[in-house]
Every structure is written in structure tokens, then in C-alpha cells.
Amino acid sequence: MKKKNSIFHLTIAAVLSLCMVFAFAGCGSKTASSDDGVSEETTAEETVATQEAADYNISEGLDVAESGDSAVLKGNGFELTMPNTGTWSYTANGEDSVTVYYMPAESAGFGGELVTIMAMNMDDTSYEEFPDYAIAGESESLGKRFIAMFPTDLQCDPEDETQSAEYPELLDHVKKISMGAADSPFTVK
């Protein structure tokens, strides 16, 4: 059985390698015809831009810069300004999203989620299915649309006075995220 499994894995690896060779073989300029006979040319620059969008990682350079009453969460292509309360933190969820959460509620087992910032390809509109979201911004250079997804349930301990006061204030702050809004704490960089 082990030998069959090994041969199977080698076959899969060989097929994937061939796919990659064929994919990269066309990285120069190429012409494609559509059903109506119109030819479109893809340049090397367009291919590189597509590859760069595929290589995007939202958490690249992810860091917080504190300045007075504000703290700025900086990620790949965006900044989110938050109150400098010391009660929130963040976590990267793979290469395309970052979640900001209220630490006391998270530590107490109530989730504490405030907002998840998702970087989606410009042609991806699957965010329209989310129950509570806002378009935070768009970056043509990155080929990304940033979506702010908000929690739909209570994410703090309702019995804890401090959490019941602090969590809603932070949630109200991030709910101001909206592309083009003057008071949005989110900016595209």
C-alpha cells in the first residue's frame, strides 16, 4: 500500500509540475480570440500584475503604531485608526483577512470580535452574502477591494460592567468604516 501511495503522489506532483510549466510558458505577450472572433492581447505587464495580486498577503508588514489617543493598525495596503485604549488586538487569518477584537471579551470566552478586514479581488462580489458588512476601500494598484465584516451577535460578557461599556464603544468606532466617508477610520494606502 505504501508503494502505491508513493507512486500516486509522484504522479500528482508530475501533473502539477507540467501545469506550472505550461502556465509560465505563456508569460510573454499572447493573443486570445473570443467567440466573436475579436483578438485580445495580454502583455507581460498584465501577467505580472495578475501574479502580484495572487501573491498578495494582507498581513505583510502588519503592525500597530501608537500616537497619543490613537493607535493605527497598518497592513498591506491599508490603515485602521483605533482608540489607543490598550483593550483591543488583532490576528491575521491567513493571507487575506485580519480580525480586530476586544481582548477582555476574547479572554473571557465571548469572542470579542469587532471587525474582520478582508482583502478580496476586485471582481469578487461574494461579500454581498455577508449579513453585516461595509466596503472599506479599494486599491486599484493591488487589485483588491477591502471589506469590513462586522459581527452579528453579542461578542462580550453582558454581565460584566466594564465589557458592557467598552465593547460597544469600540464596535461603534469600527462601524464607521465606509468607503468615502469622511469619518471612516479605514484608509487605503
Side-chain angles (χ1 to χ4, degrees), residues 141-154:
S141 64
L142 293 173
K144 297 293 179 183
R145 177 176 292 125
F146 294 97
I147 305 299
M149 186 172 61
F150 306 106
T152 57
D153 57 345
L154 186 62

Side-chain angles (χ1 to χ4, degrees), residues 155-187:
Q155 294 280 312
C156 70
D157 182 354
E159 304 294 320
D160 183 304
E161 268 186 42
T162 303
Q163 287 187 35
S164 293
E166 291 178 345
Y167 177 82
E169 286 179 16
L170 289 171
L171 185 61
D172 287 346
H173 177 79
V174 296
K175 285 244 180 179
K176 293 178 187 173
I177 295 173
S178 182
M179 186 168 79
D183 64 344
S184 178
F186 186 92
T187 54

Side-chain angles (χ1 to χ4, degrees), residues 13-24:
V15 169
L16 290 173
S17 296
L18 284 173
C19 289
M20 288 179 63
V21 167
F22 289 125
F24 287 117

Side-chain angles (χ1 to χ4, degrees), residues 67-79:
S67 177
D69 292 341
S70 296
V72 180
L73 175 62
K74 297 178 179 187
N76 188 359
F78 78 93
E79 291 183 357

Side-chain angles (χ1 to χ4, degrees), residues 48-62 74-79 93-98 117-122 137-147 186-189:
V48 168
T50 301
Q51 289 171 346
E52 286 173 354
D55 293 338
Y56 175 83
N57 186 338
I58 196 168
S59 65
E60 187 175 299
L62 198 58
K74 297 178 179 187
N76 188 359
F78 78 93
E79 291 183 357
N93 311 309
E95 296 182 349
D96 57 5
S97 71
V98 174
I117 303 296
M118 303 177 71
M120 303 179 83
N121 291 332
M122 296 292 268
E138 295 178 344
S139 171
E140 292 291 330
S141 64
L142 293 173
K144 297 293 179 183
R145 177 176 292 125
F146 294 97
I147 305 299
F186 186 92
T187 54
V188 174
K189 296 293 175 185

Side-chain angles (χ1 to χ4, degrees), residues 57-124:
N57 186 338
I58 196 168
S59 65
E60 187 175 299
L62 198 58
D63 195 20
V64 175
E66 296 179 7
S67 177
D69 292 341
S70 296
V72 180
L73 175 62
K74 297 178 179 187
N76 188 359
F78 78 93
E79 291 183 357
L80 175 60
T81 302
M82 295 287 292
N84 193 7
T85 61
T87 60
W88 61 271
S89 191
Y90 64 91
T91 187
N93 311 309
E95 296 182 349
D96 57 5
S97 71
V98 174
T99 298
V100 178
Y101 60 93
Y102 175 63
M103 291 187 303
E106 192 268 340
S107 297
F110 287 88
E113 183 178 323
L114 294 164
V115 64
T116 297
I117 303 296
M118 303 177 71
M120 303 179 83
N121 291 332
M122 296 292 268
D123 60 349
D124 184 352

Side-chain angles (χ1 to χ4, degrees), residues 24-45:
F24 287 117
C27 282
S29 180
K30 62 183 179 181
T31 303
S33 295
S34 63
D35 291 340
D36 60 4
V38 177
S39 295
E40 295 179 23
E41 191 166 307
T42 303
T43 65
E45 290 81 14

